[in-house]
Amino acid sequence: MTTQRQAGHAIVVSSGGLDSTTLAYWLQANGTGRLTLLGIDYGQRHRVELSRLTTLAQALDAECVILDLRRLRPVLSGTALIDEQATVPAGHYTDGSMRATVVPNRNALLLDIAVALAISVKADTVAFGAHAGDHPIYPDCRPSFLYAYRRMAAVANEGLTVSGFQVIAPFMDMTKADIVRLGADLGVPFADTWSCYAGGARHCGRCGTCTERKEAFVLARVPDPTDYESPETPCT
Amino acid sequence: MTTQRQAGHAIVVSSGGLDSTTLAYWLQANGTGRLTLLGIDYGQRHRVELSRLTTLAQALDAECVILDLRRLRPVLSGTALIDEQATVPAGHYTDGSMRATVVPNRNALLLDIAVALAISVKADTVAFGAHAGDHPIYPDCRPSFLYAYRRMAAVANEGLTVSGFQVIAPFMDMTKADIVRLGADLGVPFADTWSCYAGGARHCGRCGTCTERKEAFVLARVPDPTDYESPETPCT
């Protein structure tokens, strides 16, 4: 993990999941004075994740902004994360079938909303939780995306951002198991975070992201407090 | 104007204004087989412009998608284009006071939605109407922004866009007077387009964008059909 200069006020692109929650804890532990968790409902089936944000924000003494942008659904159609008719693929998160869970242009959109908010409230950091495990499936989680995004946002908002403004993804080179280990050290309330893509009331334990979550706890040798419908331990 | 390879289906980021409407006519005249006008209500005071889109789309035999994203208002606050309490500056559109009309990160956000829609419907072009007159005030209308945005979008959506996908801004090096001349040649129904930022039922004739519109018609030597509250001709 690269050591980043810590700043006064960070907007954290937050899903209520394990990665973005650990990111918020990490920012606070590294001296960020003010945190805003930004959750965006773009019509994802697993919007239950957003209901976790208020609880997580309270535990962190952070602000919480949840935006209802479900009107974006028709624009983002054709992905299993949004389309109620499509099947969320079960299996390993590195399988080719997981491409059905790619939402077109999602991270650029989420980051652009976060950057606009940062400019409006004069925050100096936007942070998001992309990590190395995302790279094979999600093109907008790769380091090359982060670099291209930073350049674009700097040009688009020249003269508008506060001095030292930065877009960071401190977990970019870490695995999810690394994040679980870090989160355990930081006291992240893992049981309050949400990963499952299937849209049920409990973690299904079968979809790609449940599989990834289970595997990360096993590899990190950290007890997994998640309440899965299918709790079998994955082969790692 | 750079000659662009014309494509099958273009998503046009449309405000109902003079520039984006002329752009749609230009795309059609240059062989684009299918057009979708994408209008986004992000809480702008001048959302009357969007009501023109349906009429303009009918005249072009184009599809029309208008998204109500007014929930973005709190994120984009602090600009006179959205804040009902702020004063929309009168005067010349090159004045420093026009910086009050800058919406943070707006064009990246609008383009992101257009790119996501293009991926969903397998369109091969996203077009927006930035022109040379915008450059001094709006950092996200400059050529450097276009280049950085293209790079970012290509990395973010690698493997998702159709072959030959492009983000274009064919008027980037033209003045608004050039666009009026081009629009007159193409038969654009200028009277049906909307420019005013003030949010009234008629063009105010005093705000920066009304001043720019008036001046463009004078410089282009094209009759201005706009119904202004203050119809005095600007000094050019």
Side-chain angles (χ1 to χ4, degrees):
Chain A
M1 176 179 20
T2 314
T3 302
Q4 304 277 353
R5 184 186 66 78
Q6 286 313 299
H9 182 185
I11 311 292
V12 187
V13 179
S14 297
S15 65
L18 195 156
D19 308 324
S20 57
T21 304
T22 302
L23 176 59
Y25 275 78
W26 181 82
L27 286 163
Q28 193 170 67
N30 281 272
T32 302
R34 188 176 166 193
L35 287 173
T36 300
L37 309 189
L38 172 65
I40 297 171
D41 183 350
Y42 52 89
Q44 62 269 50
R45 288 156 68 138
H46 52 299
R47 71 173 61 90
V48 60
E49 65 181 17
L50 294 173
S51 66
R52 308 290 173 113
L53 271 190
T54 316
T55 310
L56 292 166
Q58 281 172 343
L60 275 161
D61 198 17
E63 292 150 72
C64 184
V65 174
I66 299 179
L67 279 180
D68 178 356
L69 297 184
R70 277 178 286 179
R71 301 283 178 111
L72 282 173
R73 269 182 78 127
V75 168
L76 302 174
S77 61
T79 162
L81 288 199
I82 289 181
D83 185 354
E84 304 277 359
Q85 309 303 315
T87 305
V88 173
H92 201 268
Y93 61 95
T94 57
D95 290 350
S97 61
M98 293 302 149
R99 291 198 71 84
T101 66
V102 176
V103 178
N105 215 25
R106 177 176 59 179
N107 286 349
L109 193 51
L110 300 185
L111 283 172
D112 276 331
I113 295 169
V115 168
L117 177 60
I119 293 170
S120 292
V121 302
K122 303 192 192 319
D124 56 7
T125 298
V126 163
F128 81 120
H131 62 83
D134 294 328
H135 302 174
I137 302 294
Y138 303 106
D140 56 357
C141 286
R142 296 174 300 174
S144 54
F145 167 72
L146 176 64
Y147 306 147
Y149 184 84
R150 280 178 177 156
R151 168 75 189 146
M152 184 282 294
V155 174
N157 299 292
E158 194 179 328
L160 299 177
T161 50
V162 297
S163 170
F165 177 78
Q166 54 179 358
V167 179
I168 62 173
F171 299 165
M172 188 59 94
D173 299 323
M174 291 167 63
T175 65
K176 202 170 182 92
D178 294 333
I179 296 174
V180 168
R181 265 188 294 267
L182 175 64
D185 288 344
L186 292 169
V188 172
F190 290 125
D192 291 336
T193 66
W194 186 268
S195 296
C196 180
Y197 277 166
R202 295 168 67 196
H203 280 78
C204 74
R206 292 177 300 276
C207 71
T209 184
C210 275
T211 304
E212 183 195 25
R213 182 179 173 109
K214 280 180 182 174
E215 192 173 290
F217 277 99
V218 171
L219 290 171
R221 299 174 188 272
V222 169
D224 184 351
T226 314
D227 173 32
Y228 298 106
E229 278 176 25
S230 296
E232 299 76 19
T233 304
C235 302
T236 55
Chain B
M1 177 181 18
T2 314
T3 303
Q4 304 276 354
R5 184 186 65 78
Q6 286 312 297
H9 183 184
I11 311 293
V12 187
V13 179
S14 296
S15 66
L18 195 157
D19 308 325
S20 58
T21 304
T22 302
L23 176 59
Y25 274 78
W26 181 83
L27 286 162
Q28 194 169 66
N30 281 273
T32 302
R34 187 176 166 194
L35 286 173
T36 300
L37 310 188
L38 172 65
I40 296 171
D41 183 350
Y42 52 89
Q44 61 271 50
R45 289 156 67 137
H46 52 300
R47 71 174 59 91
V48 60
E49 65 181 16
L50 294 172
S51 66
R52 308 289 173 111
L53 270 190
T54 316
T55 310
L56 292 166
Q58 282 172 343
L60 275 161
D61 198 19
E63 292 151 72
C64 184
V65 175
I66 298 179
L67 278 181
D68 177 357
L69 297 183
R70 276 178 285 179
R71 300 283 177 112
L72 282 173
R73 268 182 79 129
V75 169
L76 302 174
S77 61
T79 161
L81 287 200
I82 289 180
D83 185 355
E84 304 276 359
Q85 308 304 316
T87 306
V88 173
H92 201 271
Y93 62 95
T94 57
D95 290 350
S97 61
M98 293 302 150
R99 291 198 72 84
T101 66
V102 176
V103 178
N105 217 23
R106 177 176 59 178
N107 285 350
L109 200 47
L110 299 184
L111 285 171
D112 283 340
I113 296 168
V115 167
L117 177 60
I119 293 170
S120 291
V121 301
K122 303 192 194 316
D124 56 6
T125 298
V126 163
F128 80 120
H131 62 83
D134 294 328
H135 301 174
I137 302 292
Y138 303 107
D140 55 358
C141 286
R142 297 175 299 175
S144 53
F145 166 72
L146 176 65
Y147 306 147
Y149 186 86
R150 277 178 179 156
R151 169 77 190 144
M152 185 281 292
V155 175
N157 299 293
E158 193 179 329
L160 299 176
T161 51
V162 297
S163 170
F165 177 77
Q166 53 179 358
V167 178
I168 63 173
F171 299 165
M172 189 58 95
D173 299 323
M174 291 166 64
T175 65
K176 201 170 183 93
D178 293 334
I179 296 173
V180 168
R181 265 188 294 268
L182 176 64
D185 288 345
L186 293 168
V188 172
F190 290 125
D192 291 336
T193 66
W194 186 268
S195 296
C196 180
Y197 276 165
R202 297 167 67 196
H203 279 79
C204 74
R206 292 177 300 275
C207 71
T209 184
C210 275
T211 304
E212 183 194 25
R213 182 179 173 108
K214 281 180 182 174
E215 191 172 290
F217 277 100
V218 171
L219 289 170
R221 299 176 188 273
V222 169
D224 185 351
T226 314
D227 174 31
Y228 297 106
E229 278 177 23
S230 296
E232 299 76 18
T233 304
C235 301
T236 54

